[in-house]
Structure formats: C-alpha cells, structure tokens
Amino acid sequence: MDTLQNTHPLTRAAAAFALWRGMGLSDLDTLLEPGVIAARVAAAGARGGLSSVPLSDGAPRLGQAGGHAPMRLENWLLAVAETAAHAQMQLDRLEAWHARAIDRAVEMKGKGAPALLAFAAARPVLSARDVAKALTVTPVQARTLLNRLEALGLLRELTGNSRFRFWTAAL
C-alpha cells in the first residue's frame, strides 16, 4: 500500500480490496471485511469529509477477481459508481418519504411526530429506547408515538416481536 501513496484514493481502495482477498484474510465469497477496509482507505483520501465510500455486495462487479489489474480496477470503479448511484436513489426516496410523512402527520398534536420523523429520516433502524433518548421522552411515550406512526403507514415494524422491536421508514 505504501507504493500507492500517490495514487487516487479509489485506486488505493481497489488495491486494498484485492490485497485483502489475495492474502486470504477472508474467503473469496466474503465481501464485508475487504469492502470495509477498502471503503475506509478510499474515504481517508477523499474530499468532502466522507467516513466511508459506498460499496455493496449488490454491485456484481465488486466480487470479480479475475483478469488483469486494469480490468479489475475498472470493475472496482464501476461497482463504486453503481453503488453510489443506488445510494443516491435511496436518499432521494428517503427525502420524498420524509416530505410525505410530515404532511401526513401534521394532524398529530405536539412536536413528537415531526421530531421522530426527522430522526427516522436520519437513521435506518429505530428502537423505542433510541427514540426515547433522542426525543427526551419516556420509553412508553416513544413506543406510543412509534405505533401511531406505524398505524399511519409512515413507519414499518421489522421484527414482528412484542418486545425489543425495531422500526424503519415505510418507503
């Protein structure tokens, strides 16, 4: 990696990914560990304060290890671009959901619903404990608010449990 010091952060990330896999530090089918390392390497040299570069095992090119180095680098960059495009689409969907959710929850009294919707827009998964802490309400109040927003179709409960439940935005 030291020899790549003067290359673009995404090139260094591709090399980190390939080196991790080439050294056998995890199975070739495993993308999480080398992906995390590569995302952190890419973000370390990126502008704009990124803490990670988006990578997804859903990007089919990411796991392709064959071919010569330029082809692997091209596959890597295409995978990053695909994942970034997918992430942008998800962010657009989340922004549209938030605007619709605010409109639907306007009839609810108090400041709890708008605050919870903003919190839900910023976090992929919510627990009643997280909501209670963020909104400075009791866990019972948090669960009531979560259930009311779920009843409006704005949130979706993920676990199906009666305890230790988690919610997400109903995009």
Side-chain angles (χ1 to χ4, degrees), residues 81-93:
E82 286 174 13
T83 306
H86 178 72
Q88 185 60 57
M89 288 181 352
Q90 286 293 91
L91 289 171
D92 291 344
R93 288 179 65 206

Side-chain angles (χ1 to χ4, degrees), residues 38-52:
R40 297 295 302 205
V41 167
R47 289 174 279 163
L50 289 175
S51 61
S52 177

